[in-house]
Amino acid sequence: MSSFLIKNVIIADGTGTEPFAGAVRTDSGVITDVYSEKNAYPAADKHCYTLDGRGLMLCPGFIDAHGHSDLSLHAAPDAYGKISQGITTEINGNCGLSPFPVTDANREHLEELYASYNVPLSWTSFAGYAEALSRREPAINTFSLCGHNTLRAAVCGYGKTEPDSKQLASMCDLFRNCLAEGAGGFSTGLLYIPGKFASQEELVALLGVLREFHRPYTTHLRSEGLYLIEALEEAINCSQQAKIPRLHISHLKTAGAGNWHKLEQVLAMIGKAQASGLNITADRYPYIESMTQLSVILPSPYDDLDDVSLLRRLQDDGERQKLRTALDSFAPERWSNTRLISTSLAAFRHFPGLNLQEIADRCNLAPQQVCIDLLAGDAPGTMAAFRGMSRDNLEKILRQPFICCGTDETARPQNYHIGRSHPRGFGSFPEFFRQLSPDLKPEQIIHKMTMLPATIFGLRNRGRIASGCAADLVLIDPDKFCAGASFSAPHVPAIGIHHVFVNGALSFSGGTVINRNGKVLSPAKDIF
Ligand SMILES: [Zn+2]
């Protein structure tokens, strides 16, 4: 494995302290020496490549605290959207969705959900998944959480049901097995099927298993709008009852204008829980449009159906008519606030980036009908962005000291062959940096993008430039660092990223992925 001397750089080491001029030497995937200008460094020998950083800023590789590349990395292991914005490690398995454990009870559903990636689910638990991913040699490191929705469905399926004591014990056993094999922690997605059917007792029982392994818990709250306060209360209560020391909230937000005023109360609740000893942190993407399956827009009783069941139900004319009646009661602005991001349907292939009202106008249809056509054709694969977040609240949230950056996206190639992404898939880290720049120093922002998430997820030898740490490094021009991606052209790389090293290999340079050297990280093996 190669050795590098990266010289003539300004080092922002991830701790948030003042950057200094110096050089960094790596060998066999690890940072061996960090030199400040004051202490001269030895000349590179013939086994060591020298890279002149020309006065640019050398940072630890960025850590995406919230990703969803579990399967996209198998289909597109270059992880172009991620590495081109400086990300070297992604935490995935978020929002309750992981591609393990797989049983007969959830296999068909997962296969349909992940159909666009065309990756056979050849594993059952974490170890098999990790091995299959390693074989694909992804460009970035990954750290995978076990998702509660997948776990629950592995035992109880996707229906509205309460597990009996035997089923709950099976869930705990499957979960314990994934953690013992090296899964990084636990995520819930209580807005989604079937996690939304889970009681607090069920969550506390599973968090009890997590406690045995001292690993992180992340949650996509049961509500991020109307019942945000109650949902946060539930997350704090469950964590306290299970006596786990830390709680991480995914993409902290106040969704819907009627809920924007709740932010102060949310921050006060977090402060109070922190004072009582529960270490609460959160991540956020720096955009005010969220993105998820279009089907989340549906009212009762459709909101209790998983996407595969919904798709089946909408093959019936009468059912589509019933849904149309339900959608007719929506306020018209719902459609102009809902933007199509991605779908496999040929009839709508030309419209991603437009809102449903605009698509309806072009197709000479009602927007309700566009929605029904999309769901009846591709409920699992149709993704939409939803406007409804406050710019002021976003600014306030990003500035909280416990907030790190998460893209909430899957790794995508530059083309659209596995679907289009929200611009956050290519632009979150530069946008995060730019939005915080007026108030924070570059090194303070870099800390929120590196050492802070490394600490939250227990990645002890990453997120810092120090001897002995993994040689995950990114060379940026802080004056030029900005996003190129937009909703109309989402797969555009960031500006200002010069070189990215992953585990000591020069992996991204000159706008191209040149090496794939990522690892599947596992606390059971190489972290704790
Ligand atoms: Zn989520």
Side-chain angles (χ1 to χ4, degrees):
M1 185 170 281
S2 27
S3 167
F4 282 90
L5 177 69
I6 308 162
K7 63 174 193 179
N8 191 18
V9 288
I10 305 296
I11 299 169
D13 66 4
T15 60
T17 54
E18 200 174 332
F20 55 94
V24 167
R25 186 166 173 137
T26 73
D27 193 16
S28 303
V30 173
I31 296 169
T32 54
D33 299 281
V34 181
Y35 307 99
S36 72
E37 217 167 36
K38 291 178 211 105
N39 48 27
Y41 45 83
D45 53 58
K46 64 176 180 185
H47 303 294
C48 178
Y49 299 100
T50 303
L51 185 99
D52 186 343
R54 291 179 289 125
L56 297 175
M57 185 172 272
L58 189 68
C59 313
F62 302 151
I63 296 175
D64 181 356
H66 189 100
H68 286 285
S69 307
D70 313 76
L71 264 263
S72 75
L73 276 176
H74 291 250
D78 274 3
Y80 190 85
K82 300 270 168 149
I83 199 164
S84 64
Q85 55 177 310
I87 294 166
T88 56
T89 298
E90 175 191 292
I91 314 299
N92 58 33
N94 275 294
C95 300
L97 176 63
S98 60
F100 61 86
V102 182
T103 66
D104 288 344
N106 64 2
R107 177 176 295 279
E108 191 189 346
H109 177 98
L110 291 170
E111 279 169 354
E112 291 211 39
L113 185 73
Y114 291 129
S116 64
Y117 300 127
N118 201 18
V119 175
L121 298 183
S122 57
W123 52 82
T124 54
S125 69
F126 172 78
Y129 162 76
E131 200 190 310
L133 181 57
S134 296
R135 277 200 299 272
R136 300 292 293 145
E137 300 180 332
I140 58 171
N141 305 309
T142 60
F143 185 77
S144 302
L145 310 172
C146 178
H148 168 243
N149 290 350
T150 308
L151 177 66
R152 189 182 214 266
V155 176
C156 306
Y158 288 87
K160 187 173 183 176
T161 147
E162 179 90 359
D164 59 29
S165 57
K166 222 172 130 199
Q167 287 171 313
L168 187 57
S170 298
M171 280 164 69
C172 288
D173 287 346
L174 270 177
F175 184 34
R176 193 175 282 110
N177 187 42
C178 286
L179 291 169
E181 288 181 350
F186 188 45
S187 82
T188 52
L190 301 172
L191 179 76
Y192 299 111
I193 312 276
K196 64 184 284 188
F197 308 130
S199 64
Q200 288 201 28
E201 291 70 38
E202 175 182 329
L203 298 172
V204 170
L206 292 165
L207 290 174
V209 176
L210 185 72
R211 190 183 58 221
E212 298 166 20
F213 290 82
H214 309 286
R215 292 191 198 156
Y217 171 47
T218 73
T219 182
H220 177 142
L221 297 171
R222 205 178 282 272
S223 164
E224 297 180 312
L226 197 54
Y227 299 106
L228 171 63
I229 301 299
E230 294 80 353
L232 178 59
E233 216 160 55
E234 175 189 49
I236 293 172
N237 279 343
C238 286
S239 303
Q240 288 173 334
Q241 272 182 48
K243 297 191 174 61
I244 56 168
R246 49 206 169 123
L247 163 68
H248 184 80
I249 297 159
S250 300
H251 38 63
L252 181 64
K253 61 168 89 86
T254 51
N259 304 302
W260 291 355
H261 67 282
K262 294 177 182 171
L263 182 60
E264 292 312 319
Q265 197 182 344
V266 164
L267 296 177
M269 287 168 74
I270 291 175
K272 193 171 158 217
Q274 279 167 332
S276 77
L278 178 63
N279 182 2
I280 301 187
T281 51
D283 57 72
R284 179 61 198 264
Y285 48 85
Y287 295 84
I288 52 170
E289 287 185 47
S290 62
M291 184 184 91
T292 190
Q293 265 92 1
L294 173 63
S295 58
V296 301
I297 205 171
L298 298 188
S300 177
Y302 304 95
D303 56 349
D304 279 348
L305 291 177
D306 67 275
D307 284 330
V308 177
S309 311
L310 176 69
L311 181 80
R312 288 197 188 120
R313 187 179 288 198
L314 292 181
Q315 302 317 303
D316 178 79
D317 284 345
E319 290 291 344
R320 284 202 299 277
Q321 196 46 52
K322 262 195 242 165
L323 177 57
R324 174 64 194 259
T325 309
L327 295 185
D328 281 345
S329 65
F330 279 17
E333 61 269 21
R334 275 300 272 282
W335 306 113
S336 51
N337 285 336
T338 302
R339 194 198 290 268
L340 179 65
I341 296 290
S342 187
T343 181
S344 66
L345 298 178
F348 296 99
R349 194 186 301 145
H350 303 296
F351 300 130
L354 299 185
N355 68 50
L356 264 61
Q357 185 62 58
E358 291 168 328
I359 298 172
D361 292 344
R362 294 202 185 183
C363 299
N364 213 7
L365 289 168
Q368 298 90 323
Q369 195 56 47
V370 172
C371 180
I372 293 168
D373 289 352
L374 284 163
L375 295 173
D378 182 18
T382 297
M383 305 297 285
F386 303 92
R387 219 184 297 160
M389 284 182 263
S390 146
R391 172 72 58 193
D392 288 349
N393 282 359
L394 170 63
E395 285 180 8
K396 239 180 251 169
I397 289 168
L398 294 185
R399 281 159 179 74
Q400 299 302 314
F402 58 86
I403 292 283
C404 55
C405 185
T407 63
D408 200 6
E409 256 300 347
T410 55
R412 305 280 174 154
Q414 249 186 315
N415 62 34
Y416 296 142
H417 87 267
I418 54 169
R420 283 166 75 106
S421 118
H422 185 294
R424 65 195 182 191
F426 285 67
S428 283
F429 278 74
E431 238 343 88
F432 188 88
F433 188 84
R434 196 192 59 75
Q435 287 186 27
L436 285 171
S437 288
D439 297 336
L440 299 186
K441 293 179 181 161
E443 61 270 25
Q444 294 171 317
I445 311 172
I446 297 296
H447 169 74
K448 286 163 84 70
M449 291 155 57
T450 56
M451 190 173 153
L452 177 61
T455 308
I456 293 168
F457 291 96
L459 306 169
R460 286 187 189 168
N461 62 348
R462 291 181 199 264
R464 272 178 310 139
I465 297 181
S467 72
C469 284
D472 292 342
L473 298 162
V474 53
L475 188 66
I476 69 167
D477 182 340
D479 297 330
K480 298 213 174 102
F481 191 33
C482 68
S486 63
F487 277 102
S488 54
H491 290 204
V492 177
I495 296 154
I497 296 283
H498 286 250
H499 302 290
V500 182
F501 292 83
V502 180
N503 298 309
L506 182 57
S507 297
F508 180 83
S509 187
T512 309
V513 179
I514 53 177
N515 222 320
R516 297 212 307 247
N517 204 42
K519 288 182 181 166
V520 180
L521 306 178
S522 145
K525 291 188 194 123
D526 44 14
I527 293 172
F528 290 100

